[in-house]
C-alpha cells in the first residue's frame, strides 16, 4: 500500500458559535480503508487561546505545524497510523489518525513528543472500522464543491 500525500481543504462552522473551522483531509487512501487493518481512530486535540476568529496566534500556529509534522512522520514511518484529517478553529486543533494498535500509537506519540515541552493535548480513541469520521469529513469536501458551483443548474 502506497500512502498518498494529497489533501483537500474545506471550511466548516463550529457547532457552538460562528467560528470557522478549517479542515484538511487526506485523499486517495482507499487501499488503507479496504485493508481492514486500521480499525481504530485516535484523535489528538490541542486546545489553544484563540483570537477573535477562533484561530491560534502566530507562535502557536508555528509550533502546531512542527508538532503535526513530527507526529505524522512518526506514525506513518511504519504505517502504524495514518493521519487522515486536521481541523483547526474555535480554539482547538484536532488531528485525526486511524491506527492498527492503540497502545503502540500511545507509545509512539509519547516518544515523538518527548523533545517538546508539555503540550495542552488530549487524546481520544474509538473503534471505527467503518471509517465513519473520515467519511463524514469527506462530505465537507463535497459540500464545498457544491457551494462553489452555486445555483447554475439553469444552464442545463
Amino acid at each position: 500500500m502506497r500512502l498518498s500525500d494529497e489533501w483537500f481543504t474545506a471550511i466548516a462552522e463550529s457547532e457552538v458559535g460562528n467560528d470557522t473551522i478549517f479542515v484538511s483531509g487526506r485523499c486517495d487512501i482507499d487501499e488503507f480503508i479496504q485493508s481492514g487493518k486500521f480499525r481504530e481512530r485516535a484523535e489528538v486535540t490541542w486546545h489553544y487561546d484563540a483570537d477573535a476568529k477562533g484561530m491560534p496566534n502566530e507562535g502557536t500556529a508555528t509550533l502546531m505545524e512542527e508538532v503535526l509534522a513530527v507526529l505524522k512522520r512518526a506514525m506513518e514511518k511504519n504505517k502504524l497510523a495514518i493521519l487522515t484529517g486536521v481541523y483547526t478553529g474555535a480554539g482547538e486543533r484536532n488531528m485525526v489518525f486511524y491506527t492498527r494498535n492503540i497502545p503502540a500509537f500511545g507509545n509512539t506519540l509519547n516518544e515523538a513528543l518527548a523533545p517538546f515541552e508539555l503540550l495542552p493535548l488530549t487524546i481520544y480513541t474509538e473503534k471505527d472500522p467503518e471509517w465513519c469520521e473520515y467519511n463524514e469529513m469527506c462530505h465537507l469536501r463535497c459540500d464545498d464543491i457544491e457551494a462553489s458551483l452555486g445555483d447554475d443548474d439553469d444552464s442545463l
Side-chain angles (χ1 to χ4, degrees):
M1 290 184 288
R2 189 161 191 274
L3 186 57
S4 153
D5 204 23
E6 297 293 319
W7 295 79
F8 68 86
T9 302
I11 296 174
E13 279 188 15
S14 67
E15 294 177 7
V16 179
N18 293 325
D19 285 336
T20 299
I21 308 291
F22 292 93
V23 180
S24 295
R26 193 169 221 150
C27 304
D28 303 324
I29 57 173
D30 291 341
E31 286 184 48
F32 292 89
I33 296 169
Q34 294 167 1
S35 75
K37 294 178 181 178
F38 299 86
R39 304 179 58 79
E40 299 187 80
R41 186 176 76 243
E43 298 182 13
V44 180
T45 303
W46 181 321
H47 301 278
Y48 58 83
D49 292 328
D51 66 14
K53 295 181 180 179
M55 294 294 127
N57 64 42
E58 189 174 330
T60 300
T62 300
L63 181 58
M64 287 175 147
E65 289 305 312
E66 185 180 345
V67 168
L68 179 64
V70 165
L71 285 178
K72 182 175 178 260
R73 189 170 38 253
M75 296 301 173
E76 295 179 355
K77 181 179 174 183
N78 296 316
K79 295 188 178 96
L80 167 64
I82 307 301
L83 177 65
T84 59
V86 180
Y87 301 77
T88 306
E92 67 180 39
R93 169 170 275 189
N94 190 22
M95 299 165 273
V96 181
F97 294 85
Y98 278 83
T99 185
R100 296 178 295 159
N101 183 298
I102 293 294
F105 179 91
N107 290 338
T108 301
L109 179 103
N110 287 332
E111 289 171 12
L113 297 179
F116 296 94
E117 290 188 29
L118 185 63
L119 299 168
L121 303 178
T122 57
I123 314 297
Y124 170 80
T125 63
E126 178 178 321
K127 291 190 183 304
D128 188 2
E130 302 297 321
W131 289 59
C132 295
E133 191 283 333
Y134 178 78
N135 290 323
E136 187 176 312
M137 179 189 61
C138 287
H139 284 294
L140 292 174
R141 179 184 189 189
C142 294
D143 292 347
D144 264 12
I145 291 169
E146 289 172 9
S148 69
L149 294 175
D151 292 324
D152 292 342
D153 292 339
D154 296 338
S155 63
L156 297 177

